Amino acid sequence: MEVSRIEILSPAMRRITLKGAELEGFAPAGPASYIKLIFPEPGQTEPTRPLPDGPRAVSMRTYTPLAARPEAQEVDVDFVLHGEGPASTWAAQATLGQVLFLMGPGPGYALDTAATRHLLIADDSALPAVETILAALPAGAHAQVLLEVISEAEQRPLHSAAQLDVVWLARSTDHRAAGQALEKALHAAAPIGPDTRIYLACEAAAMRRIRQLLITALGVSRSQIVGRGYWKLDVVNHPDHDYGEDT
């Protein structure tokens, strides 16, 4: 894939469009689906092409395809500029024509379209996933959205056919505060009904704390919650498929 367009969404968010013949017929597998992107290693101008029987790429990261246009052979991916790391470092310096390799897509969030109330709890790493969920919600649904970001400058309009109640929560640049603003907002929020469907996606330890808060203090059933640990503090290669169901 080659970089064909770069859009600055906010001080810490870039939308990068990737284009390539391999995207003909590409279709995300539902809201909050995922792709794998392979980034160059230090000293490389482009990454090594992955082989079916070759070693796993070191600088491979998981992202949500925000929008795909297979007829134009394009896909949009949003990157958080959070500091060190192969993806963030690459996105901060990305220029037109640079090459990445893409694998996927993989399955996403099994959205209950019959449910009328949804609670989306996320930090900036999961904001693209939240946007794809909002885009899939039908008119008549109501979504309460709690979003933890670095600063107020990260706020931007979100769109959905559903009725939205969006709260942006500034965390600061201290990643060790991950999830604290979300926890505080949930303590102050209205009671959560038994029919509310909850998508919870943020730093892994924070996701577990919030999951426990929902279950033990706020009376939410485990079956209402889908959890995703998108990243983990002080861990470079946090594994995929961290659902927090061990708590």
Side-chain angles (χ1 to χ4, degrees):
M1 305 289 109
E2 288 192 358
V3 175
S4 62
R5 187 164 54 252
I6 301 170
E7 182 181 358
I8 299 174
L9 300 178
S10 67
M13 187 76 79
R14 300 290 183 272
R15 178 164 297 162
I16 297 181
T17 300
L18 302 173
K19 185 178 181 68
E22 296 90 339
L23 289 172
E24 185 174 352
F26 178 91
S33 63
Y34 69 87
I35 55 176
K36 300 284 189 177
L37 294 176
I38 300 175
F39 298 89
E41 300 292 335
Q44 291 182 320
T45 57
E46 63 181 65
T48 303
R49 180 180 292 275
L51 299 174
D53 56 351
R56 186 183 188 275
V58 175
S59 295
M60 181 166 65
R61 296 293 185 269
T62 304
Y63 278 86
T64 299
L66 186 68
R69 294 174 293 279
E71 71 287 351
Q73 300 177 344
E74 290 183 338
V75 63
D76 295 336
V77 184
D78 285 1
F79 293 81
V80 181
L81 307 184
H82 55 72
E84 293 298 321
S88 178
T89 300
W90 177 87
Q93 61 78 59
T95 57
L96 299 181
Q98 286 185 313
V99 173
L100 295 181
F101 288 110
L102 181 151
M103 302 167 63
Y109 176 49
L111 181 65
D112 183 354
T113 55
T116 58
R117 300 197 70 84
H118 300 265
L119 173 58
L120 309 181
I121 308 165
D123 67 14
D124 31 19
S125 69
L127 178 51
V130 166
E131 290 191 81
T132 63
I133 294 170
L134 294 179
L137 288 176
H142 178 275
Q144 181 181 9
V145 186
L146 302 178
L147 289 170
E148 184 180 280
V149 293
I150 292 173
S151 73
E152 293 181 357
E154 297 303 306
Q155 298 183 25
R156 52 190 168 90
L158 300 179
H159 306 284
S160 178
Q163 180 184 350
L164 298 184
D165 178 11
V166 181
V167 178
W168 295 87
L169 305 162
R171 175 183 66 241
S172 84
T173 56
D174 182 4
H175 297 319
R176 297 191 179 279
Q180 293 178 13
L182 292 170
E183 292 173 86
K184 184 177 179 180
L186 282 168
H187 276 295
I192 300 169
D195 296 327
T196 299
R197 296 294 174 261
I198 302 171
Y199 184 80
L200 166 62
C202 56
E203 192 276 332
M207 181 266 288
R208 284 168 169 77
R209 294 197 313 269
I210 294 168
R211 180 182 167 87
Q212 281 300 105
L213 169 66
L214 289 166
I215 294 167
T216 60
L218 302 181
V220 171
S221 168
R222 292 176 184 270
S223 64
Q224 293 175 248
I225 307 168
V226 170
R228 296 289 184 267
Y230 265 55
W231 59 285
K232 187 172 179 61
L233 190 66
D234 297 328
V235 175
V236 175
N237 291 306
H238 184 58
D240 295 333
H241 311 302
D242 181 2
Y243 302 151
E245 293 174 353
D246 51 346
T247 58

